[in-house]
Every structure is written in structure tokens, then in C-alpha cells.
Amino acid sequence: MTGRDGGADLHPIGNSPVVILVRPQLADNIGACARAMANGGLFHLRLVAPRDGWPQEKAWRTASGADRILEAASVHDSVADAVADLHRVFATCPRPRHIVKPVLTARGAAAEMRVIAERALSAGILFGPERAGLDNDDMAQADALVRYPLNPAFMSLNLAQAVMVMAYEWWTAADDTPGRVLMTNETKVATKGRLENFLTHLTDQLDACGFLRNLPKRPGMVRNIRHLFQRGEVTEQELRTLHGIVTELAIGRRQRGRLETEDGSFDPETKGPSGREHA
Amino acid sequence: MTGRDGGADLHPIGNSPVVILVRPQLADNIGACARAMANGGLFHLRLVAPRDGWPQEKAWRTASGADRILEAASVHDSVADAVADLHRVFATCPRPRHIVKPVLTARGAAAEMRVIAERALSAGILFGPERAGLDNDDMAQADALVRYPLNPAFMSLNLAQAVMVMAYEWWTAADDTPGRVLMTNETKVATKGRLENFLTHLTDQLDACGFLRNLPKRPGMVRNIRHLFQRGEVTEQELRTLHGIVTELAIGRRQRGRLETEDGSFDPETKGPSGREHA
């Protein structure tokens, strides 16, 4: 049943959990679920008594290319039939009910499903119909309930969105992307020595133009400028750009200084000694 | 601009990040985004140059009741205008580009946005148009990029799904629901003493019916039964049910024993001493 949905273009994970849509109503929701599943690396879809029958052309239109998941989907008369070959079953359950069962967050369920997959066992997760959700008999088929932490004042979650959150957590549970990295691509992060070269260039030019002429305040001002450039990682390319900016501004100032010495719009008093260039 | 979307029915978080849809194409996607925002406790929506103008009736149909978010949405000519009053801007970016900026996961971005909100600063997150995504000029307006860890072989993420993942992470970042709990509702988890009472009742009846007649194996069998019931938390209600099951099975056996002593289908040899009842 799950043999054909392992297309090379979807990078299937052999033992990924089965998504079981129980009595789904709208075919375009089924397609949107398949798309969300592909996003998160879930590839096994089962449909229990889809209201309008199966297959439905509409589903392919909203699947945005996750066709293999739809093609490999199996149809079942009952939840019991759909879970018969599985080892562990989770049921998504937005509202609290009087059932004594473990209740997991989506993240908690994803972590458990990863452990189950590592043991080469099969897990499935039940999603109820669009309006009513899973009924008590459906939930009695499950080992554990999954309740997403979401705004309790607005729990109306679209079916494909519910699948998306679970698929996202499934993928994330095995993902080790750091929460924050600097993307540098071809360019390299500059060494502190190169940053220092630039700060020296900048300070020299600021001395030259008179910006740092208040000697008592000078150390603090230089320190503030240093803090500004130390705040994030600066790349070598950015340092080259900054050197260029400072050099060009200084040249422009000196040229303007020559051209506009009689022009009140530019005060030559603020100019420092000229002729200092960055080595 | 964000004053009216604070309806009591949506439990707004005053300083929640602004969702900025850049050149969105389909009004029903805008509505679905509003619904996802409400699910995750995001209430401030801005639209940059929506293709078909604004407002669009279709959006209200897919918002499933998140009307206040749509009603309070503001429309802007440019990204620069939409972010002008914000302190920090994130840009969702599914594909790697040659941009030197911090890149965060959705979870990493949510954590940073929580810190920003705690400092009473305003954050915004840019989502690009359905087909093309954000362009380089859009991303240059952002302090950091957000790239979701998802199946790299199938990155085609629906706009509302992209908003859903971010809204879900925003909510989850401030949520302390344990990953796994036992939902017991009215009934209480049984104490070990009450579990022991039941195990004694069960063992007595198993002795009585002869199930434990192999004395060398008896300790191991009793231990295995104990393990079975110790595996998860058992509630008081469940223990009452189990007591009832054991008692009724034992009564049935004794009655059958009386009625069917001459019947080969029931071997009276395996019956233990009768008359032992659970106190």
C-alpha cells in the first residue's frame, strides 16, 4: 500500500507515520493535506470513508505536485481497518473530552513517532472530518491524543493546517538546523584583525575631517563606533565596501573642500588635515 | 492601525508581531492567513499592494471567523511603508539567496520575536507572493531571514501554511504545555496502594482458577502481570472496572463450573478452592 509513494523526488523516509484522514469532506482539503505532508516528509496517506468517494480530481489540483502521495493513498471503510497494521495510533483532538489517555503536544507526538520509527514500528495519526472532528469511537482506537497548543479563543483549525503543523513537527524533530546562523554564502566572515584595519581607516578619516576634534570625548566616541561595527558578524566583502565608502567620502570632501572653499554650504573649519590616506 | 483588532473573542496579545503579506495574489489566501494568524495569536495584518485590491469578499469567506483581523488590516504601497513604524523585520525566504544576513528557523525567529515583544518593541514578518516569493529588494528591508526546516525536495509551501507555521511557533514559544500528560478529567490517578489491592484481588482469583498452578513459574508470572498494569498510570475508575471484570469472570466461572461439571468443555481440575472473594 505504501510502496509506490516512495518517489525519488520526494525523499521519502521509509517508516514515516501514516496520515489517516477520517471521513474527510472536501477533496481539495485532501489535496492540500497531501501537499502539507510532502512539505514535512510524510508520505503515507489513508482515507477512511471519504464523503465524496475517491479518487477526486479536485484533490490533485490543490496538491501542488504531491501527486504520488494521492496516487498511493488507500481507502478504508473504518478506522479499525485503517489502523490494523499499525503499532501505535495517535488521534488529533482539538477539544478536551472525558477520555483517560495520554495527551501530547504536536511536538511531543513527533518525538514519540521518531522513536517508534527508529524501532522499525509503524505509527499513524488520525485527523477528523472538517466540521465535527473525531468522534469518541475514533478516539478509542488511539493510544494517545494529540492536542496542539494554540490560541484557545480561536481553535477552528483548517484540516490541511492541522496536517501541516504535525508534518512540520515531524520534520523538525529530526532536524538540527541551528535556530540562528549567519548566511554568508561565497563571502567569509572577516577576522577581527581586518575589522581593526577598517576601524583604524575610519578613525583616521574622522580625525582628518574633524569629527573627533573634541579630545575629551574622543575615546568614548571611538568606542561607540567600535561597538556599532562589532554588533554583528561583518564579512570581508562588507569590509571592502566600508573601506570604499570611507575613502570615497573623504575624497569627495577634499574635492568639495577645494571647489567650495568660498561656499557657505560647506564649512572648511571642520576639515582636518588632509592628505591622510588609508594604506 | 492595530487598535480595532483587539476583540475580546480573540485574546489579543498587545505587542504581537505584524504579519505583512507582500503583493498577495489570491484573496482567499489572505483570508486563510487571517485564520491561521488567529489560531496562533497573531492579530496585526498588513497588505502590501494586494494584486486584486482590498477589501475582497472572498477573504472573509476563508477566514472562518477571523473577521476582525481582516477588518483591521491596513494596505500599503510599499514594503518600506509597511515596516516604517516597526523596530525589527523578518523576511520568510524559502530558497537560499546570496544575501549576507542572519538566517533563523521559524522557532528561532519566534523566540527572538518574543524577546522583542517583551521589550515593548514591534516586530514584523514579511511573506512573499504565492508564486515568486519575496524579491531581493523586499529582503533588503529585513534584519533577518527566516527559513523553515522542511523537506528540501518539496518546498512548495502554501502562503497560509507558511503563516500557520510561524503563528504556531509564535504561540508555542510562550506555551508551557508539557509534551506528554495523562488527561484524567474527573477521575484521579490511582495510588500504588489501590493498584496493589487490585493486583492482590487478581492474583487470588488466578490462584483460585488454577492459572498460577505451576508453582516454580508462579513468581515470574505474577511479576509479568504486575508489569503489565504498572506500565501506565491507572485511574481509580479503571481500577473499579478491573475489579468488576475479575469478580464477574470469576463468578461466571464458578457458575459454569456448577452447571457444567460433566461437560468436557470445562475442566473442573483447574479450578482452585472456591469461595474466595475480593473483600
Side-chain angles (χ1 to χ4, degrees):
Chain A
M1 175 183 314
T2 55
R4 284 186 306 129
D5 57 349
D9 54 336
L10 289 176
H11 281 220
I13 297 161
N15 213 31
S16 62
V18 178
V19 170
I20 302 159
L21 304 183
V22 180
R23 301 181 299 279
Q25 300 179 304
L26 300 170
D28 37 9
N29 276 344
I30 298 173
C33 287
R35 180 179 183 178
M37 287 170 64
N39 289 144
L42 296 174
F43 301 100
H44 308 310
L45 176 63
R46 297 180 185 178
L47 307 173
V48 175
R51 187 189 66 183
D52 299 333
W54 188 258
Q56 290 280 326
E57 198 197 329
K58 265 189 173 178
W60 269 257
R61 270 184 260 154
T62 51
S64 280
D67 294 2
R68 284 163 185 256
I69 290 172
L70 294 178
E71 282 153 22
S74 56
V75 179
H76 303 263
D77 290 335
S78 64
V79 172
D81 184 54
V83 304
D85 63 338
L86 303 179
H87 300 98
R88 202 163 157 78
V89 176
F90 299 84
T92 54
C93 162
R95 290 173 220 91
R97 307 202 188 206
H98 302 305
I99 293 174
V100 180
K101 253 188 225 298
V103 180
L104 292 84
T105 61
R107 197 162 300 164
E112 290 206 8
M113 290 193 294
R114 285 286 174 185
V115 172
I116 292 163
E118 278 164 24
R119 294 169 62 204
L121 299 175
S122 299
I125 180 156
L126 304 172
F127 293 87
E130 284 88 339
R131 283 182 181 277
L134 296 171
D135 65 26
N136 287 332
D137 285 337
D138 300 328
M139 283 189 273
Q141 298 275 358
D143 301 289
L145 305 180
V146 182
R147 195 144 27 124
Y148 300 171
L150 282 172
N151 182 4
F154 195 89
M155 289 295 278
S156 162
L157 193 65
N158 171 271
L159 177 56
Q161 300 281 40
V163 171
M164 182 72 227
V165 167
M166 199 62 241
Y168 166 76
E169 285 287 8
W170 163 257
W171 187 273
T172 308
D175 180 81
D176 56 0
T177 309
R180 183 191 182 93
V181 291
L182 185 70
M183 181 162 76
T184 52
N185 287 311
E186 290 96 13
T187 183
K188 290 177 191 166
V189 176
T191 61
K192 292 299 177 191
R194 284 179 191 268
L195 179 61
E196 198 59 42
N197 277 350
F198 165 70
L199 289 171
T200 303
H201 178 197
L202 177 62
T203 312
D204 285 352
Q205 291 297 336
L206 294 178
D207 276 327
C209 76
F211 183 81
L212 298 173
R213 67 187 179 277
N214 185 329
L215 289 181
K217 288 192 175 173
R218 189 181 179 284
M221 290 171 81
V222 170
R223 204 177 308 116
N224 285 345
I225 291 165
R226 173 180 297 279
H227 278 307
L228 181 66
F229 287 101
Q230 293 273 16
R231 200 166 290 160
E233 291 176 350
V234 181
T235 68
E236 292 186 357
Q237 176 57 52
E238 285 170 338
L239 278 189
R240 282 193 291 273
T241 303
L242 287 169
H243 275 297
I245 287 171
V246 170
T247 300
E248 291 297 319
L249 286 173
I251 289 170
R253 176 179 51 77
R254 283 195 301 275
Q255 289 179 339
R256 262 204 322 282
R258 255 175 256 130
L259 293 169
E260 302 167 4
T261 36
E262 306 306 314
D263 181 345
S265 70
F266 183 74
D267 181 11
E269 286 297 307
T270 62
K271 286 198 298 177
S274 65
R276 290 170 69 171
E277 293 285 350
H278 174 65
Chain B
M1 175 183 315
T2 53
R4 283 186 305 128
D5 57 348
D9 54 335
L10 290 177
H11 282 217
I13 297 159
N15 214 31
S16 62
V18 178
V19 170
I20 302 159
L21 304 183
V22 180
R23 301 182 298 278
Q25 299 179 304
L26 300 168
D28 36 10
N29 276 344
I30 298 173
C33 287
R35 181 180 182 178
M37 289 170 63
N39 289 144
L42 297 174
F43 301 102
H44 309 310
L45 176 63
R46 296 180 185 178
L47 307 174
V48 176
R51 188 189 65 183
D52 300 332
W54 188 257
Q56 290 280 326
E57 198 197 330
K58 265 188 173 180
W60 269 257
R61 271 184 259 154
T62 51
S64 279
D67 294 2
R68 282 163 186 256
I69 290 173
L70 294 178
E71 282 153 21
S74 56
V75 180
H76 303 262
D77 290 335
S78 65
V79 172
D81 184 54
V83 303
D85 62 339
L86 303 179
H87 300 98
R88 199 161 160 78
V89 176
F90 300 84
T92 54
C93 162
R95 290 173 219 91
R97 309 205 188 204
H98 302 306
I99 294 174
V100 180
K101 253 188 225 299
V103 180
L104 291 84
T105 61
R107 197 161 300 163
E112 290 205 8
M113 291 192 293
R114 285 285 174 186
V115 173
I116 292 163
E118 277 163 26
R119 293 169 62 203
L121 299 176
S122 300
I125 180 156
L126 305 171
F127 293 88
E130 285 88 339
R131 286 183 179 278
L134 295 171
D135 65 25
N136 287 332
D137 285 337
D138 299 328
M139 283 189 273
Q141 299 274 357
D143 300 289
L145 304 181
V146 182
R147 195 147 23 125
Y148 299 171
L150 281 172
N151 182 3
F154 195 91
M155 290 295 278
S156 161
L157 193 65
N158 169 272
L159 177 57
Q161 300 281 39
V163 171
M164 183 72 228
V165 167
M166 199 63 241
Y168 166 75
E169 285 288 7
W170 163 257
W171 187 273
T172 309
D175 180 80
D176 55 1
T177 307
R180 182 192 182 91
V181 290
L182 185 71
M183 180 163 74
T184 53
N185 287 312
E186 290 96 13
T187 183
K188 291 178 191 163
V189 175
T191 61
K192 292 299 177 190
R194 283 177 192 269
L195 179 62
E196 198 59 40
N197 278 350
F198 166 70
L199 289 171
T200 303
H201 178 197
L202 176 63
T203 312
D204 286 351
Q205 291 298 336
L206 294 178
D207 277 326
C209 75
F211 183 80
L212 298 173
R213 67 184 176 278
N214 186 329
L215 289 181
K217 288 193 174 171
R218 189 181 178 284
M221 291 172 79
V222 170
R223 206 178 305 117
N224 286 344
I225 292 165
R226 173 180 296 278
H227 278 307
L228 182 66
F229 288 100
Q230 292 273 17
R231 199 166 290 160
E233 290 176 350
V234 181
T235 68
E236 292 186 357
Q237 176 57 52
E238 285 170 337
L239 278 190
R240 283 193 291 273
T241 303
L242 287 169
H243 275 298
I245 286 172
V246 170
T247 301
E248 292 297 318
L249 285 174
I251 289 170
R253 175 180 51 77
R254 282 196 301 276
Q255 288 178 339
R256 261 204 322 282
R258 252 174 258 131
L259 294 168
E260 302 165 4
T261 35
E262 305 306 311
D263 182 344
S265 69
F266 183 73
D267 181 11
E269 287 296 307
T270 62
K271 286 198 298 178
S274 65
R276 291 171 68 171
E277 293 286 347
H278 175 67

